[in-house]
Structures are given as C-alpha cells and as structure tokens.
Amino acid sequence: MASWAPPAKIEDLYAKANGNKWAGINRPTAGARDETPAEVGTADIQLYSLATPNGWKVGILLEELGVEYDAHVVSIMKGDQFSKGFVGVNPNSKIPCAVDRKGGKDGSTEVHLFESASIMLYFADKFKKFVPPTDDTVARAELMNWLFWQMAGQGPMTGNFGHFFTYAPADKCEARDYGASRYGMEVQRLCSVLDQHLETRPYILGEEYSIADMACFPWFHQIVREEGYKIETNNACNFLSSTQYKNLMVWYEKILARPAVQKGIKVCGW
C-alpha cells in the first residue's frame, strides 16, 4: 500500500482544499483586507457576531444578563471578519468579538474582547452573575476547568467533525470518511465525559446555572438540532446517536427551554 508523500511545501497542497465551503476566503495570512469600518450603535456594549455555536454563547449570556447591547451581524461567508473595523477589535478575524465602551474601574476605558469564553467571563464578572465570585477559588477553578475543556476540546473537535461531515469537498470521499470517523468518535467521547459528569448534578457546576452551561450548550445543540450539521442523506444527530446521552439530554432540554436561550440563539441570525 502506497504511503503519503507530501510535497516539500504546504503551498503546493492549497489547491487540494478547493471545493470546500470556505475555500474562497481561506488564506494563510492575517490582517484587514478592506477599509470598511465597524458599525457602532448607541449602547455601551457592541457585539459583532453571527448565529453559530460560538456566536450563540455570547448572545445567550447577554440575553440572560438582560443588559442593553447592539448586535451587528458579521457575514463570515462574505468575509466581513477581514474588514479593518472588525480586525481592529479582533486581530484573529473570528466571531464573536465585542467592545465594552465603559470598561475599567472608572467606566471610561474602551475594552476590546475576543474569544467567546473570554467575552463571557468578562461580562459575567462585570455584572457579577452566572459565575462564582473571584474569591471562591475552588468554584472558580471548576468553572475554568470546564471553560477550558469547552474551548480546547468540545468546540474544536465538534467543528472539525462538522467540516468533514458537512463542508468538505464532495469528491474527497476517503478524506471525509477518515475525518468524520476520527473527529466523530472524539465528539462522542466528549459527550460521554459531560454525560457522566451530569449524572449527579443538574448543571455543570452543581446546583447553579452558569456560563459553563452557556458555553457547552451550543456545540451540543449543533449535533442534536435538525438544522445542525447535515448532508442530503443524514444528519449529525442520527450519525452520532447524539440522543443516547440521557443525562446530557435532560440538561440540554432544560437549558433549551430557557427564554433567554431561545432569544440568544437568534442573535445575529443568518
């Protein structure tokens, strides 16, 4: 059996990725691609996002907090995230990002925020809701464990699965089999981790609903809902048997029923 023989430079492989949904905007360099400024409303909090799993996290939190904010839709398919205004807030050109125009101790400092968990932690701490107090080091450590678990594992692995299952080029059958298997199995393992954790508690941190729940909910929602990752003949829920995780499903249905969650997942809708 022939083994893989890569070219000397990755640039020689770029064309192999043509045909995936994001090929038209993918580049190996960062920075602004046009001079378009960021839209700015009247509220102290400006949110730049799109209703994807990472975007849902911050939309849910802001709705749960009940604070005033302006939500600006960022069309990632059109490349809005590479505008000068967006890059000025988030040099990594990923949604969501936000600006708090009344940050700092005196409320006079403009704070730029990016990475969904960082945004959530900032606003939860600022408004002192859905997060353990900073002097409760034990509860705080548990919160950080699950936020980092979500950001380093659940989100990226589920997203990688979704790429191979839904977005990869249709003719890359062997690559899609490998990717869907590799990342799909890991998604199942991560679901099992959370399912076992929730066997003895109603929420991730115990009795209290927190930003840990808000951060982990969206990516599970993406592999349960009918409109999530899908292809013409199947969907992620069926493919991964997502409803097999009984404790996780109880937790999921409880969070999905919250009015603020229903509003939050519609923020910056497509």
Side-chain angles (χ1 to χ4, degrees), residues 118-250:
S118 175
I119 300 170
M120 296 177 80
L121 189 60
Y122 173 87
F123 285 123
D125 279 340
K126 176 170 182 171
F127 295 104
K128 296 179 170 58
K129 292 183 178 180
F130 306 113
V131 65
T134 55
D135 60 356
D136 187 343
T137 57
V138 173
R140 195 80 175 185
E142 184 74 351
L143 170 70
M144 293 301 185
N145 288 342
W146 288 103
L147 285 181
F148 278 66
W149 176 87
Q150 196 289 313
M151 294 293 289
Q154 186 210 29
M157 294 300 105
T158 309
N160 286 338
F161 161 75
H163 173 80
F164 285 100
F165 186 74
T166 301
Y167 301 123
D171 61 343
K172 300 293 193 292
C173 297
E174 289 188 7
R176 292 185 74 163
D177 279 348
Y178 175 81
S181 173
R182 164 69 179 87
Y183 294 111
M185 183 186 296
E186 178 63 3
V187 170
Q188 289 181 315
R189 189 191 70 81
L190 291 165
C191 286
S192 181
V193 169
L194 194 51
D195 184 64
Q196 291 180 39
H197 179 72
L198 290 166
E199 185 174 1
T200 58
R201 67 208 78 202
Y203 297 106
I204 291 176
L205 298 188
E207 298 299 319
E208 298 293 330
Y209 176 61
S210 73
I211 59 171
D213 301 288
M214 300 179 211
C216 294
F217 166 84
W219 282 102
F220 188 64
H221 185 50
Q222 182 70 352
I223 61 168
V224 171
R225 69 187 188 119
E226 188 174 339
E227 301 83 7
Y229 292 132
K230 61 182 179 179
I231 56 176
E232 186 175 342
T233 58
N234 207 349
N235 61 38
C237 186
N238 179 67
F239 186 75
L240 298 172
S241 302
S242 301
T243 59
Q244 69 179 296
Y245 307 101
K246 301 305 180 185
N247 304 312
L248 192 46
M249 285 301 299
V250 169

Side-chain angles (χ1 to χ4, degrees), residues 10 49 64 74 95 102 137 141 189 192 204 239 242 256:
I10 189 175
S49 191
E64 291 280 14
V74 178
I95 62 95
K102 291 190 176 179
T137 57
R189 189 191 70 81
S192 181
I204 291 176
F239 186 75
S242 301
L256 183 62

Side-chain angles (χ1 to χ4, degrees), residues 41-116:
T42 59
D44 295 338
I45 298 171
Q46 301 293 303
L47 173 66
Y48 302 92
S49 191
L50 191 65
T52 68
N54 284 331
W56 291 334
K57 299 177 194 175
V58 180
I60 288 170
L61 174 61
L62 292 176
E63 289 297 325
E64 291 280 14
L65 290 171
V67 296
E68 184 180 354
Y69 66 97
D70 292 314
H72 306 283
V73 176
V74 178
S75 176
I76 59 177
M77 293 302 298
K78 295 179 181 178
D80 291 353
Q81 69 273 35
F82 299 108
S83 67
K84 183 177 181 179
F86 189 96
V87 172
V89 178
N90 182 3
N92 195 37
S93 292
K94 300 289 184 180
I95 62 95
C97 66
V99 175
D100 179 6
R101 298 196 290 184
K102 291 190 176 179
K105 291 183 178 180
D106 61 357
S108 63
T109 302
E110 182 170 287
V111 179
H112 291 188
L113 302 159
F114 59 92
E115 293 298 324
S116 55

